[in-house]
Amino acid sequence: MSLPLHELAHNDSTNAIVRLTENGIEFFPAPAAEVKTSLIPARPLGPGEQYRFHFDMTRCIGCRSCEVACNEQNNTPPDLRWRRIGEIEGGTYPNTDRFYLSMGCNHCLSAECIKGCPVDAYTKDSITGIVLHSADACIGCQYCVWNCPYSVPQFNPERGVVGKCDMCHGRLTDGLEPACVNACPEAAIEIEIVDQLEWRSDYAAGNAPGMPNAGVTISTTRITLPEGAQASLERVDIETLRPEHPHWSLVWMTSLIQLSAGTLVAALLSHHDGPITLTLILALTAFTLNISVLHLGRPAYAWRALKMWRRSWLSREVLLFGLFFGALATLTAATWIDSLHLLPIAPIVLLFLKVCAPVFGIAGILASAYIYLVPARPAWNMLHTPIDFLLSSGVLGSAAAPLLLRATNLQRVIPQLHFIAPSLTARSFPLWPLVLCSVLWMLNHITRAIRLHHSETYEHRAAASLLNTDSLRGTFLVGFAFIGIAIMLSLAGMPLLALPAALAGVLSARYLFFVSVVPLNMALTFVRSVHA
């Protein structure tokens, strides 16, 4: 019987492997490689130039010396790797190939981490072109982790901040090789100089199998590939799918703030916007904004998130929800003052506040949705995301609407509040808004799941596969069941139970939103770490 690997060992002496031959064990040396005398540029940078990594895939043996050296140099925990090794493979047995990827930060020309950071913790060094991160400015929001298509920034829970490769900026400017470059026994990593304008016009050399397209952020890393690699090789972890982090504080925050805004709109449209109703909505909003900071690694510095409102959707979300809370608080106070006849409040003032508060709330919800419309998370970066956020607010607000009538009646039955009740007229609430919003909410999620499943994009199909796993498929169905139960409870005249059911449905869907997304990333190993 023919043994293909045995025949290959005898017939192909170009591979640097140990073979058992008729004469015993023989060592076949690899072809002579070019000897590099310097792995960092010998000349200074010129105008319009910057440093970049060059990775030679034909040299890398996957020893992970670069990973170890990077961790030792930067004193990072072993589970955080600012430089990572991935694997790609291809061919048909016995003619198979396996190669390795080694990647730190690509110091992109259009870095998404810089654009999205709400506190301006990222800067692109004007001299070297290296993308630097300030741990002192960072608040640990992890927005940059979502924005980077290579998942280069990594959150350090011990410090509460994000960290990333800076090309060993201090060593490089002192004329020393970065730790990864210095540690590689095969000289597979080196530092080069690149002309930024030329690279913008042609960055094809930045593409490689198992890597996101370099054009997403115009990655500057140049990669030398084996011959025919683009057509024959693919990542080894393509079927290794694991749920992402659920980010529970964000699940609750986004759902509850949508409940607040939706309930306020329902109260104003139905004219059940008395002081008690507004006070309850204000209390819910205050509670929600307080739990939102629990997502941050450094919640004491949450106020810094307002800094970059001109370009960061996260900053805009913070600003708009802050304005929503301020307008709602002012409207609540003015309504109490007007109801108690403490001071005359002009009707135009109340009308202005009744317009501003919901507008800020809805704008904040849209800004919140736009946070997740990032190319690095394809399953989030769809029109279904803002539609889901708005419809969730509609479902929750219309489910809470019948409870507003109870708050109105409360003002009538409490003797101390009886004198403010005559200005209020109790109205019944139609059920069609809840039914309409719920049906549209379900259709949006069903359509999204179908589109993900039939998409040509791997990350979309992978997200659909995650949703179809035993652990998540049940949650998907339970979310729909809760929305249906909410409708039935409302029809049965039990709003006190309908609202929790609707909230449970929205929370289930929002949990799946976070855990089922498959990010763009470089190829890793079968035992890769779970993303942030």
Side-chain angles (χ1 to χ4, degrees):
M1 179 179 177
S2 175
L3 299 176
L5 285 179
H6 185 266
E7 292 180 1
L8 183 64
H10 277 278
N11 298 332
D12 185 3
S13 61
T14 61
N15 290 321
I17 61 175
V18 180
R19 297 177 175 83
L20 180 63
T21 69
E22 296 176 354
N23 300 321
I25 295 178
E26 294 187 11
F27 296 87
F28 289 78
E34 175 190 356
V35 177
K36 297 188 177 182
T37 57
S38 177
L39 297 174
I40 59 175
R43 68 172 179 84
L45 291 166
E49 294 181 332
Q50 74 162 70
Y51 291 123
R52 72 170 174 196
F53 283 113
H54 168 227
F55 171 64
D56 190 340
M57 191 181 294
T58 64
R59 290 173 172 268
C60 181
I61 59 175
C63 67
R64 300 183 183 272
S65 294
C66 54
E67 281 188 356
V68 175
C70 180
N71 276 34
E72 289 183 348
Q73 174 69 29
N74 296 289
N75 194 30
T76 54
D79 58 326
L80 296 182
R81 297 181 180 92
W82 292 0
R83 176 163 285 276
R84 292 164 294 160
I85 293 292
E87 301 173 52
I88 55 177
E89 63 183 6
T92 304
Y93 175 86
N95 300 302
T96 59
D97 290 304
R98 172 166 291 199
F99 294 94
Y100 299 93
L101 287 165
S102 177
M103 191 192 73
C105 177
N106 295 309
H107 303 286
C108 308
L109 298 185
S110 182
E112 290 292 331
C113 56
I114 295 177
K115 298 177 185 177
C117 181
V119 296
D120 205 25
Y122 287 92
T123 54
K124 191 168 179 66
D125 187 61
S126 59
I127 299 176
T128 63
I130 295 173
V131 176
L132 302 174
H133 175 264
S134 171
D136 292 333
C138 181
I139 61 174
C141 68
Q142 305 173 56
Y143 190 29
C144 55
V145 179
W146 298 343
N147 274 256
C148 177
Y150 305 96
S151 293
V152 165
Q154 297 180 43
F155 181 66
N156 186 339
E158 295 180 4
R159 298 185 60 197
V161 296
V162 166
K164 62 173 283 294
C165 156
D166 63 355
M167 205 181 279
C168 290
H169 182 263
R171 289 176 57 89
L172 190 59
T173 52
D174 288 340
L176 301 174
E177 298 168 342
C180 58
V181 174
N182 181 268
C184 181
E186 298 295 316
I189 311 171
E190 63 178 323
I191 305 300
E192 294 181 338
I193 293 175
V194 59
D195 183 281
Q196 295 179 349
L197 189 59
E198 289 182 3
W199 188 253
R200 281 185 183 274
S201 64
D202 183 12
Y203 45 78
N207 289 318
M211 297 275 281
N213 190 293
V216 177
T217 56
I218 312 185
S219 160
T220 64
T221 299
R222 184 171 72 91
I223 303 175
T224 297
L225 299 173
E227 185 177 353
Q230 288 282 19
S232 62
L233 299 175
E234 64 179 20
R235 54 196 302 159
V236 304
D237 63 336
I238 196 167
E239 298 298 332
T240 309
L241 300 175
R242 295 189 181 96
E244 294 291 304
H245 193 287
H247 298 290
W248 279 111
S249 60
L250 294 181
V251 170
W252 281 97
M253 187 279 286
T254 55
S255 300
L256 292 180
I257 201 68
Q258 289 158 23
L259 170 60
S260 295
T263 306
L264 177 63
V265 171
L268 294 173
L269 292 178
S270 62
H271 303 288
H272 288 83
D273 51 352
I276 290 184
T277 299
L278 295 177
T279 300
L280 292 175
I281 299 174
L282 179 64
L284 175 61
T285 305
F287 172 76
T288 303
L289 295 181
N290 274 283
I291 65 172
S292 67
V293 302
L294 298 179
H295 172 66
L296 303 179
R298 302 170 73 192
Y301 297 96
W303 55 271
R304 292 180 180 175
L306 287 167
K307 183 176 182 180
M308 302 305 296
W309 62 270
R310 288 184 177 86
R311 75 180 185 204
S312 171
W313 281 107
L314 182 57
S315 291
R316 293 167 184 166
E317 178 201 41
V318 174
L319 175 62
L320 289 168
F321 281 145
L323 292 173
F324 170 60
F325 178 79
L328 179 57
T330 305
L331 173 61
T332 304
T335 304
W336 275 107
I337 292 172
D338 185 60
S339 299
L340 297 173
H341 307 293
L342 297 177
L343 289 173
I345 303 292
I348 190 64
V349 173
L350 288 174
L351 179 61
F352 175 76
L353 293 173
K354 288 179 181 181
V355 171
C356 285
V359 166
F360 286 139
I362 294 171
I365 290 174
L366 286 174
S368 181
Y370 271 85
I371 289 174
Y372 304 101
L373 298 183
V374 291
R377 297 294 190 270
W380 287 353
N381 193 29
M382 304 174 75
L383 181 61
H384 298 283
T385 298
I387 291 176
D388 172 48
F389 278 38
L390 290 174
L391 287 177
S392 295
S393 184
V395 169
L396 296 172
S398 55
L403 298 177
L404 303 178
L405 180 59
R406 305 287 179 91
T408 300
N409 290 334
L410 180 65
Q411 295 174 172
R412 295 179 175 278
V413 299
I414 298 178
Q416 291 82 354
L417 300 177
H418 181 70
F419 58 90
I420 66 172
S423 62
L424 301 171
T425 303
R427 291 179 174 86
S428 60
F429 289 92
L431 293 178
W432 66 262
L434 174 59
V435 175
L436 177 62
C437 290
S438 298
V439 170
L440 293 176
W441 183 92
M442 292 180 183
L443 288 175
N444 182 58
H445 281 281
I446 293 173
T447 304
R448 176 178 181 268
I450 293 173
R451 290 188 62 197
L452 289 175
H453 179 73
H454 293 285
S455 174
E456 295 181 358
T457 304
Y458 160 72
E459 287 79 13
H460 283 166
R461 299 194 307 273
S465 297
L466 274 177
L467 285 172
N468 198 35
T469 57
D470 292 338
S471 58
L472 298 184
R473 187 190 309 116
T475 306
F476 185 81
L477 297 175
V478 164
F480 276 67
F482 272 122
I483 297 297
I485 291 172
I487 295 175
M488 290 187 291
L489 290 172
S490 292
L491 293 173
M494 293 185 284
L496 285 174
L497 298 177
L499 178 58
L503 181 58
V506 171
L507 289 171
S508 299
R510 196 59 45 78
Y511 165 78
L512 292 176
F513 176 80
F514 283 103
V515 300
S516 66
V517 65
V518 175
L520 294 177
N521 202 348
M522 67 170 283
L524 295 174
T525 63
F526 286 114
V527 292
R528 71 172 177 88
S529 300
V530 179
H531 296 292

